[in-house]
Amino acid sequence: MLARNLVLALAGIIGSFIVLILLLPTPSDTLDAATSLVIDDVRYFDGERLVGPTRLVLAGGQIAAIGAHARAPAGAPHLDGEGLTALPGLIDAHVHTYGTSRRDALRFGVTTVLDMFTDPMNLLGARESRDAYGAADAAALFSAGMLATVEGGHGTQFPVPVETLQDSSEATAWVAARVAEGSDYIKLVYMPDWPGRASLDFATASAIIDAAHAAGLKAVAHIATQKDARALLGAGIDGFVHIFADSIVDDEFLREARERGVFIVPTLAIIATASGQSTGPGLLEHPELGERVDALARVNLRQTFGNVRSPIFDLDKALTNVRRLHEAGVPILAGSDAPNPGTAHGISVHGELRLLVRAGLSPAAAIAAATHVAAEQFGLEGRGRIAEGARADLLLISGDPLVSIEATADIRTVLRNGFFSGDALPPAGESMRLAGALSDFDTGLNGPSGLSWTATSDALMGGTSKAQINLLDGDEAGRGGTLAVQATVTRAFPYPWAGAFLAFGGPDQSADLTAISAVRFAVRGTPARYRLMMFEQGVRTPPTVVFTVGEQWREVQIPLADFAGFTATRFIGMAFVSPDAAGEYTFALDDVQLVP
Amino acid sequence: MSLSTRALLNEIGAELTKSLRAPEFVLPTLLMPTTFYLLFGVMLSQSGGAAAYLLATYGVFAVMGPSLFGFGAGVASERERGWLSLKRTAPVPGYLYVVARLAATVLFGALALLPLYAAAGFAGDVTLARSDWALLLLCHVLAVVPFSLLGLAIGFTFGANAAVAIANLAFLGLAVLGGLWFPASMFPDGLRAVGQALPSYHLAEVALAVVRPDPTRKVLPHIAIIALTTGVLGALAAWRWSRQR
């Protein structure tokens, strides 16, 4: 009797629980259709393999539910995913951001970029925008900000002021300054054997690593040789943002790297370019990628380092090293090092995936390198995985990338926080021509070329001159928008300057102007003799030409031949600056063009 | 149905009937966790997160009562009244007595969890995926095992009056120091270190991992510690049981 009652009681309790669990609220009950998207019958990459077809319910910027029977909020739009594969939004673990680079990245399915050196000004607002869950038209940014190097060391050749270090005693304060600027990790340059360039010494590099760890940040390094990397392993480095390509990685390095848990971002694409085997032009041939790429990126992808070959950039050794490190269990992350020669933002991650497979990673491991492995190594919560609760950053492609890694390029759509990002992007294609209008200021500060205007002054170098730029959208003298510059020149610096700078790309990015004959622009302002400076990669004193400005608008055309010593092959930007004479100046620019 | 299965079921049934006939045990055990939860997790809660957080920790608390008192104090008084000696002469294996009590406690714990889950879902607006609701329930129900073994060890070791007092001490200590009422992080370092040695703390951490998934939080170490503690308590209970003869 008791036994029967007990069975009944047991059934009652279990039944109550089943009913209760079916009635209890789940997150999908509270989804808002306005921020939701349902993708039906889609296969997705779970970190190791493709699963599905199933349903992905995206809501409020997150993946709310996965499963063929996942409940969808009423009224939410549905996307037919039949024949499509969803990959987590790609993470490019080595870029240099500038101008429109984060928008370019997103166009190719790169939803998060890990920047390895940029002007710290670019970090303003980056945290807020990457944490938000609304519609976004650019990839999320994590960054090292300023890089650690010495006066004249690698990183100082670019037109970004660099706060260099002299010795190890400065490490703690230097790292504290990066923390204050919003750096997410610390990047240092260590290549003591690099000919012709100074480098941090070992003691300073070690002190920076220790200071980064004390501040709770990871430290990553730019190295050139196995010897450099070996030294930093012992100093506690967390990761290398290039693979050394001077020698085959030895067993002891493999063992120590694995034991210490370091990761590697090989940046094979840039090593390929350096060894004369650039993969950039090949990417342009892909119909989908080629259609999404703009003119400036096209230039970059075709760019090379010329015929200079260095024995320390051997692509075959780099590929072998990546394979050996991967087989030894060292985490490999995909990074493009865009916008260096042969690379461009976004598109080059697809090229890097192919190189990783060529090195010997399985397609699944290569995609992992561009998704969850990167997220895990850099502690990026909610990114790099397709899972309930993860951020709804997705790349939808056709084809099976585990059969052919090239399928990652067959992009159908890109979702950032669950919103279609493509709609917010400017039309792809020939949106910028190197010959033609650079800036007419009619559609904003940086239209139509997307190049970046900033104020510049000798305050960068410790002077006290000041400059401020503004976009004037009034229709003055039929000109539409113009760029107004207010400059105050003081003589506190030996070669004072103040004015506006037009950057042609990131710190590592340059353009070839050999097909250009002149620069033309319209100008008016405080009457005086002003200067136009042309900056080239690796050139510290820019060639300069003087032009006169009056009260009335006038067209100025300056032949490139007038800039003494300008080679036009590594052009990185130009500066329009006021006279050396102390005083206050205002001038306005319009219709800046490159004349073929 | 084999003889020993029927004996086991009868034994469990008897345990439940006995417990249900003692309202002074039933009512507080079944209702106190839910009442506390409604008060602190729902009505007095300042932040939305408390309802989910306290569901995880109060779930552990809810099964602790029946486990410690049903087993602890209960076994001691039955032993003193000679019931255990009588059992030993009965034609069923002795371990059935323990297995039956454990099963009855699991059922009783589950009964205490029912109103708590209902309060969390319907009054506290806690939302979890279906699979997570089920996983959380499994985690809470299994928490009965280590606490019951502790109760058993107490019951076999102390006299009836002392056992009640000691079970009470264990009950309060495990609940408060284990962070079941307030987060353990609110305690000073010394107390926190004590708390982190208790199985209640680790059970709560596992339950919290279900409620608030966080990839940086490792669950396996907690499960390992719980398994180890359960093994030690099991050995202790077995040893005290063997000393009854």
Side-chain angles (χ1 to χ4, degrees):
Chain A
M1 202 50 196
L2 264 178
R4 215 188 74 196
N5 287 344
L6 177 75
V7 171
L8 285 178
L10 198 64
I13 291 175
I14 292 172
S16 316
F17 264 110
I18 290 171
V19 171
L20 181 66
I21 285 182
L22 288 177
L23 289 177
L24 282 168
T26 67
S28 66
D29 299 341
T30 54
L31 297 184
D32 175 7
T35 65
S36 297
L37 174 70
V38 183
I39 308 173
D40 291 307
D41 303 318
V42 70
R43 290 183 305 170
Y44 73 93
F45 181 66
D46 72 349
E48 288 175 23
R49 58 183 70 83
L50 296 189
V51 291
T54 187
R55 169 184 276 186
L56 302 180
V57 179
L58 317 181
Q62 293 180 313
I63 298 169
I66 298 176
H69 303 289
R71 202 180 326 167
H78 283 245
L79 177 73
D80 182 3
E82 198 185 332
L84 300 185
T85 301
L87 302 180
L90 302 177
I91 299 172
D92 188 340
H94 190 144
V95 299
H96 300 281
T97 51
Y98 215 87
T100 59
S101 61
R102 288 200 279 141
R103 293 166 64 131
D104 297 340
L106 187 57
R107 193 181 297 170
F108 294 93
V110 174
T111 54
T112 301
V113 295
L114 308 182
D115 178 281
M116 292 298 161
F117 168 38
T118 188
D119 186 334
M121 290 297 283
N122 288 338
L123 309 189
L124 292 175
R127 283 179 191 226
E128 293 73 15
S129 65
R130 78 184 183 217
D131 291 343
Y133 278 105
D137 64 357
L141 171 69
F142 292 79
S143 179
M146 176 67 61
L147 88 177
T149 189
V150 292
E151 181 67 40
H154 177 72
T156 59
Q157 70 269 43
F158 309 118
V160 173
V162 174
E163 193 182 324
T164 54
L165 290 104
Q166 290 187 349
D167 59 56
S168 59
S169 68
E170 298 169 350
T172 303
W174 190 92
V175 167
R178 305 292 79 78
V179 171
E181 283 168 354
S183 294
D184 297 293
Y185 38 83
I186 298 297
K187 180 198 174 177
L188 60 93
V189 175
Y190 182 73
M191 27 191 211
D193 302 322
W194 189 258
R197 259 193 200 290
S199 165
L200 292 172
D201 57 36
F202 181 73
T204 311
S206 291
I208 291 166
I209 295 168
D210 292 345
H213 291 166
L217 301 185
K218 283 183 188 285
V220 299
H222 171 122
I223 44 83
T225 65
Q226 182 162 201
K227 188 171 150 236
D228 303 343
R230 160 73 48 72
L232 292 188
L233 273 185
I237 196 78
D238 296 291
F240 297 105
V241 295
H242 297 288
I243 184 65
F244 46 85
D246 63 314
S247 55
I248 300 293
V249 60
D250 61 38
D251 291 340
E252 196 188 330
F253 188 99
L254 291 176
R255 186 183 48 74
E256 196 175 348
R258 189 183 50 230
E259 280 172 6
R260 291 180 177 272
V262 303
F263 60 82
I264 307 226
V265 187
T267 62
L268 291 167
I270 188 67
I271 296 170
T273 308
S275 55
Q277 303 176 52
S278 173
T279 54
L283 293 173
L284 288 170
E285 287 165 17
H286 187 278
E288 186 63 41
L289 295 180
E291 190 180 303
R292 285 169 187 262
V293 80
D294 72 14
L296 183 58
R298 233 171 249 284
V299 170
N300 258 48
L301 288 165
R302 292 196 174 118
Q303 209 175 25
T304 66
F305 287 114
N307 288 322
V308 182
R309 294 280 175 280
S310 167
I312 70 162
F313 291 122
D314 182 325
L315 181 61
D316 291 333
K317 286 187 178 134
L319 291 166
T320 303
N321 289 347
V322 169
R323 176 179 55 78
R324 296 201 72 199
L325 285 155
H326 174 65
E327 285 169 359
V330 174
I332 303 291
L333 282 59
S336 67
D337 204 3
N340 267 298
T343 69
H345 287 282
I347 184 171
S348 288
V349 176
H350 297 277
E352 190 70 15
L353 290 175
R354 297 172 189 185
L355 284 166
L356 289 173
V357 170
R358 199 172 137 194
L361 272 69
S362 68
I367 298 171
T371 54
H372 67 87
V373 175
E376 282 150 18
Q377 294 302 321
F378 278 88
L380 314 180
E381 209 176 305
R383 295 173 201 271
R385 284 261 189 208
I386 294 179
E388 288 179 7
R391 189 173 282 267
D393 287 351
L394 299 175
L395 167 61
L396 293 179
I397 58 172
S398 51
D400 186 339
L402 303 194
V403 172
S404 166
I405 193 66
E406 307 213 344
T408 64
D410 298 331
I411 300 167
R412 290 296 149 262
T413 194
V414 177
L415 294 161
R416 171 103 164 82
N417 290 343
F419 294 93
F420 290 102
S421 63
D423 305 341
L425 292 172
E430 303 284 329
S431 61
M432 198 216 82
R433 292 172 195 283
L434 280 178
L438 293 181
S439 297
D440 60 15
F441 306 110
D442 292 344
T443 53
L445 188 60
N446 298 325
S449 60
L451 300 180
S452 165
W453 283 92
T454 53
T456 180
S457 80
D458 54 36
L460 290 179
M461 307 291 288
T464 56
S465 298
K466 281 184 292 207
Q468 198 184 343
I469 63 170
N470 283 300
L471 181 69
L472 296 186
D473 50 14
D475 187 6
E476 183 197 357
R479 302 211 73 94
T482 58
L483 177 75
V485 184
Q486 281 181 289
T488 308
V489 177
T490 65
R491 302 300 307 259
F493 185 72
Y495 317 104
W497 84 85
F501 182 74
L502 175 64
F504 246 67
D508 294 340
Q509 186 175 30
S510 64
D512 185 337
L513 294 193
T514 45
I516 302 300
S517 70
V519 182
R520 183 158 64 202
F521 53 94
V523 65
R524 56 159 285 186
T526 312
R529 288 160 61 80
Y530 289 66
R531 289 178 296 144
L532 175 60
M533 303 152 86
M534 299 294 271
F535 289 85
E536 277 197 279
Q537 240 174 28
V539 179
R540 303 218 65 185
T541 314
T544 300
V545 167
V546 171
F547 59 93
T548 53
V549 171
E551 300 272 5
Q552 301 304 316
W553 282 105
R554 61 177 286 244
E555 295 265 323
V556 176
Q557 180 160 331
I558 304 177
L560 291 191
D562 288 4
F563 292 92
F566 184 63
T567 70
T569 54
R570 302 276 186 91
F571 176 66
I572 48 180
M574 56 179 120
F576 298 82
V577 299
S578 54
D580 293 353
E584 289 191 13
Y585 301 88
T586 60
F587 63 99
L589 289 171
D590 199 9
D591 291 335
V592 181
Q593 298 181 43
L594 294 179
V595 182
Chain B
M1 202 183 284
S2 76
L3 189 67
S4 60
T5 311
R6 185 172 309 148
L8 177 66
L9 288 178
N10 278 327
E11 194 75 58
I12 297 171
E15 283 296 334
L16 282 178
T17 313
K18 182 184 70 190
S19 298
L20 291 172
R21 281 177 186 162
E24 71 278 8
F25 170 66
V26 175
L27 287 177
T29 312
L30 293 191
L31 296 182
M32 193 168 76
T34 306
T35 313
F36 270 33
Y37 180 80
L38 284 171
L39 190 62
F40 296 109
V42 180
M43 283 192 281
L44 298 180
S45 162
Q46 300 290 315
S47 65
Y53 185 96
L54 289 179
L55 168 66
T57 60
Y58 274 39
V60 178
F61 174 61
V63 301
M64 244 168 62
S67 308
L68 282 170
F69 293 111
F71 258 30
V75 173
S77 63
E78 286 173 12
R79 189 165 52 97
E80 279 195 350
R81 288 188 211 142
W83 182 241
L84 279 195
S85 314
L86 190 67
K87 281 276 176 201
R88 211 167 276 135
T89 61
V92 286
Y95 69 84
L96 271 189
Y97 169 71
V98 175
V99 173
R101 285 199 81 112
L102 196 57
T105 312
V106 166
L107 288 175
F108 218 86
L111 275 181
L113 290 170
L114 263 176
L116 182 69
Y117 276 48
F122 302 123
D125 289 330
V126 175
T127 62
L128 291 176
R130 285 280 173 253
S131 54
D132 286 343
W133 279 114
L135 190 63
L136 187 67
L137 177 67
L138 181 73
C139 162
H140 281 153
V141 167
L142 288 181
V144 163
V145 178
F147 294 131
S148 293
L149 292 173
L150 175 63
L152 208 57
I154 293 172
F156 286 147
T157 307
F158 301 99
N161 288 334
V164 173
I166 286 166
N168 246 318
L169 266 181
F171 181 66
L172 287 174
L174 284 167
V176 175
L177 294 178
L180 302 187
W181 288 0
F182 332 95
S185 57
M186 289 167 63
F187 297 131
D189 288 350
L191 275 185
R192 193 165 59 220
V194 175
Q196 287 175 355
L198 300 176
S200 48
Y201 170 79
H202 297 283
L203 285 161
E205 285 294 310
V206 174
L208 283 169
V210 177
V211 172
R212 301 194 308 189
D214 175 353
T216 60
R217 215 185 262 214
K218 298 268 182 289
V219 183
L220 277 181
H222 294 298
I223 293 178
I225 293 172
I226 292 163
L228 186 73
T229 316
T230 306
V232 170
L233 289 172
L236 186 67
W239 174 58
R240 295 311 303 168
W241 165 258
S242 68
R243 305 285 290 181
Q244 301 305 307
R245 291 162 201 280

